[in-house]
Amino acid sequence: MPSDADTLIRLEGVHKSFGDQHILRGLSFDVRRGQCLGVMGGSGSGKSVTLRHVIGLLQPDAGRVVVDGQDMAQTSEADLAALRRRMGYVFQESALINWLTVAENLALPLEETTDLKPAEISDRVAHTLGLVHIPDAADKFPNEISGGMKKRVGLARALITQPEIVLYDEPNAGLDPRISRSINALIRELSDTLEVTSLVVEHRIDCLKAVADEVIFMHAGVALVREPIETFFDPDEPKLKEFLGV
Ligand SMILES: Nc1ncnc2c1ncn2[C@@H]1O[C@H](COP(=O)(O)OP(=O)(O)OP(=O)(O)O)[C@@H](O)[C@H]1O
Ligand SMILES: [Mg+2]
């Protein structure tokens, strides 16, 4: 059993409904410090909703979300803001600000949350664009770049503050296989070298195999299966078999 000190994110019996749709029905799982946990599940099973609970954009109807020992519903606004500053969120839809250039989109979180000087900010922006292989996108507006490039700008924006926790919502969506491989290597490297704790929502098996050490399968509002990456894709659970088509 991992001790509490090893656990960075914990969901305990989380319930969430929207109108008469009961999406999360007692969802519980934890993520250890430095771990990369994959999340699979059908479309509409509540994966994005789960990530939004972790970052505090949604509150559970019942149950608790605990990050670094702090119950997200019980913390002060100031503590919640401080916790959020330690997290990066790669939105499923890249959610960039259309009237700002790529570089301005990336600079914004640094301007808002750090004391970095303008020259340091532009260095960090250039460096992070390099990490996601779009060094030349800085001066373009979001509507001037491709879907896959937008996804990578979204990734860069999540990483720019060098967060301890990164929540990835389909990081491979819209990327060609070569770019996917290098983004997956980046996700894995952040986890291995900087001990970033990651939650990765992905349908792509190659991505999960490249980045995750364990995977959960969300079904009917709970984490129905949790298995190490080595065994996840060879399941006994009938619902997961059906989902994977194996
Ligand atoms: N703010 C909201 N208001 C009302 N319903 C919502 C809201 N957010 C999510 N839902 C509903 O909750 C369900 C789960 O949504 P969610 O976005 O988490 O699915 P998902 O597992 O991420 O699916 P996908 O793989 O398609 O991205 C859906 O039925 C969705 O319509
Ligand atoms: Mg989603």
Side-chain angles (χ1 to χ4, degrees):
M1 265 307 267
S3 72
D4 261 10
D6 290 332
T7 301
L8 191 51
I9 300 168
R10 167 168 287 160
L11 276 76
E12 296 174 2
V14 171
H15 284 259
K16 185 69 178 180
S17 296
F18 298 104
D20 57 6
Q21 274 190 298
H22 194 172
I23 305 298
L24 304 183
R25 300 173 174 236
L27 176 66
S28 300
F29 66 87
D30 52 34
V31 192
R32 293 187 303 278
R33 232 170 260 279
Q35 175 173 33
C36 182
L37 182 69
V39 181
M40 265 198 154
S43 186
S45 61
K47 303 179 299 297
S48 299
V49 164
T50 300
L51 294 188
R52 278 185 255 147
H53 277 83
V54 173
I55 202 164
L57 290 173
L58 287 174
Q59 305 295 333
D61 299 333
R64 305 202 304 156
V65 178
V66 182
V67 178
D68 203 12
Q70 299 184 68
D71 182 333
M72 298 290 278
Q74 304 290 327
T75 45
S76 65
E77 277 298 317
D79 285 347
L80 190 61
L83 266 183
R84 278 204 188 131
R85 278 200 292 277
R86 294 165 56 193
M87 301 190 213
Y89 189 175
V90 182
F91 287 88
Q92 189 166 11
E93 58 306 321
S94 36
L96 302 173
I97 299 173
N98 280 321
W99 59 88
L100 298 181
T101 65
V102 164
E104 288 164 348
N105 266 283
L106 295 185
L108 200 58
L110 294 175
E111 288 161 0
E112 285 175 346
T113 65
T114 72
D115 297 326
L116 291 177
K117 298 187 179 69
E120 293 167 321
I121 290 183
S122 33
D123 282 354
R124 180 86 72 85
V125 167
H127 172 72
T128 312
L129 283 174
L131 283 180
V132 297
H133 306 292
I134 40 173
D136 303 329
D139 298 324
K140 296 196 158 63
F141 286 91
N143 65 2
E144 296 172 333
I145 59 178
S146 72
M149 288 168 81
K150 272 190 205 148
K151 191 79 208 180
R152 283 182 278 162
V153 178
L155 183 63
R157 188 187 45 189
L159 300 179
I160 194 124
T161 54
Q162 302 179 337
E164 267 170 79
I165 299 173
V166 186
L167 312 174
Y168 300 90
D169 205 339
E170 300 200 20
N172 277 201
L175 305 186
D176 70 41
R178 192 174 54 89
I179 299 287
S180 287
R181 282 196 298 277
S182 83
I183 294 300
N184 293 339
L186 172 65
I187 294 172
R188 188 68 229 178
E189 190 188 323
L190 290 170
S191 156
D192 287 343
T193 61
L194 299 176
E195 293 218 306
V196 169
T197 303
S198 329
L199 257 174
V200 183
V201 170
E202 233 335 313
H203 290 299
R204 285 172 57 169
I205 295 174
D206 57 339
C207 171
L208 288 174
K209 284 192 169 164
V211 304
D213 30 60
E214 278 186 285
V215 186
I216 61 172
F217 172 58
M218 285 183 57
H219 182 81
V222 299
L224 188 62
V225 174
R226 176 175 186 146
E227 281 285 332
I229 189 68
E230 295 80 13
T231 47
F232 181 85
F233 295 105
D234 185 20
D236 295 324
E237 166 56 49
K239 298 281 190 228
L240 179 53
K241 281 185 137 157
E242 186 193 337
F243 181 73
L244 294 172
V246 296

